Amino acid sequence: MPSQLVCRPERSLPVAVLRVSGTLDRETGGALGAAVRRSLAVQPVKVLLDMSRLNVGDPVAVSGLGAVICQAEEFPAVPIVICGADPRTRDALAGDRDCAGLEYADDCDKALATAETEPGGPTVRVRLRPVPESCRQVRHLVVQACAAWQRADVTATATLIATELVANVVRHAHTTMEFTLGLRGDRLVLAVRDGSRLMPRALDPAVTDAGGRGLHLVRDLTDAWGVLPVTDGKVVWTQFTTGAAM
């Protein structure tokens, strides 16, 4: 009989809680990784992964979770807390070097209460339609946010990057999108989530071509960028260091 795994998201913001039950093995490991990526995609303060009802049927399947954690270290840099795991599950996770960044808690409800008291950086979220007007809207939003967060030194760069990320959705994905702008310490993080699973790729346009340079621009102006795939689309993200508050 095939193994079964149930991943039930109970909340997403500001702290995400994902309750997992059933058996984790090679057949179900992919489903757990996809569920964790969905929780990470909304950029919560933390992701609490309740494993109190999970049975690890095959320790090799833990590597799938390790791959997601590695992917999340750069973006969205959200701590993942394993709650209620039995000793066997903890040992399996501890044996995977990719899972070294995990935090552990005995009780998910207590971990949630603690996480809700922890301050998070300022964040702005907005849903946009896949129309050219959205580029103007996002530029206005970024200018306002940079002024409010006293990060005028990066306003020009941030507005340019935000415009490129949104314009890519308008040109290629053609779906409603969610734009997120957040300040985490000295890093400004920009992300756009859309409903297309078509992965972006950098083109090599000729000198005479009018377009095709958007991702090259994003790469050249930022410290890091990438794509977080989710089952219903993707998140294209980028981040760069800002100066001190002015």
Side-chain angles (χ1 to χ4, degrees), residues 16 30 40 52 71 81 95 98 101 120 126 136 192 214 218 231 236:
L40 289 167
S52 58
Q71 205 171 26
V81 183
D98 292 336
V126 63
R136 186 194 66 80
V192 174
V218 169
T231 52
V236 182

Side-chain angles (χ1 to χ4, degrees), residues 30-41:
L32 177 59
V36 174
R37 277 194 295 269
R38 283 198 301 271
S39 293
L40 289 167

Side-chain angles (χ1 to χ4, degrees), residues 82-187:
I82 302 298
C83 305
D86 60 32
R88 184 167 178 262
T89 300
R90 283 203 182 199
D91 289 344
L93 292 168
D96 188 331
R97 63 182 181 181
D98 292 336
C99 296
L102 285 173
E103 299 178 18
Y104 295 90
D106 293 329
D107 184 270
C108 197
D109 292 333
K110 290 181 180 178
L112 176 59
T114 300
E116 287 183 320
T117 66
E118 298 173 351
T123 301
V124 176
R125 304 173 191 272
V126 63
R127 291 189 67 81
L128 300 167
R129 295 179 298 144
V131 296
E133 172 65 14
S134 292
C135 295
R136 186 194 66 80
Q137 289 179 256
V138 82
R139 283 195 295 270
H140 181 65
L141 183 150
V142 171
V143 169
Q144 286 187 317
C146 287
W149 301 341
Q150 300 181 359
R151 293 301 190 276
D153 61 308
V154 296
T155 301
T157 301
T159 53
L160 183 57
I161 293 169
T163 301
E164 288 297 334
L165 294 179
V166 170
N168 275 339
V169 179
V170 174
R171 295 189 196 107
H172 306 295
H174 311 298
T175 71
T176 301
M177 70 192 93
E178 182 178 76
F179 172 80
T180 306
L181 175 68
L183 183 63
R184 297 176 185 156
D186 64 349
R187 290 181 302 137

Side-chain angles (χ1 to χ4, degrees), residues 3-5 20-26 28-29 32 49 51-65 82 84-94 96:
S3 302
Q4 290 187 337
L5 185 75
V20 184
S21 59
T23 300
L24 179 65
D25 56 24
R26 300 188 190 199
T28 60
L32 177 59
L49 193 55
M51 289 188 168
S52 58
R53 297 182 180 180
L54 180 69
N55 171 50
V56 178
D58 184 351
V60 174
V62 170
S63 62
L65 180 58
I82 302 298
D86 60 32
R88 184 167 178 262
T89 300
R90 283 203 182 199
D91 289 344
L93 292 168
D96 188 331

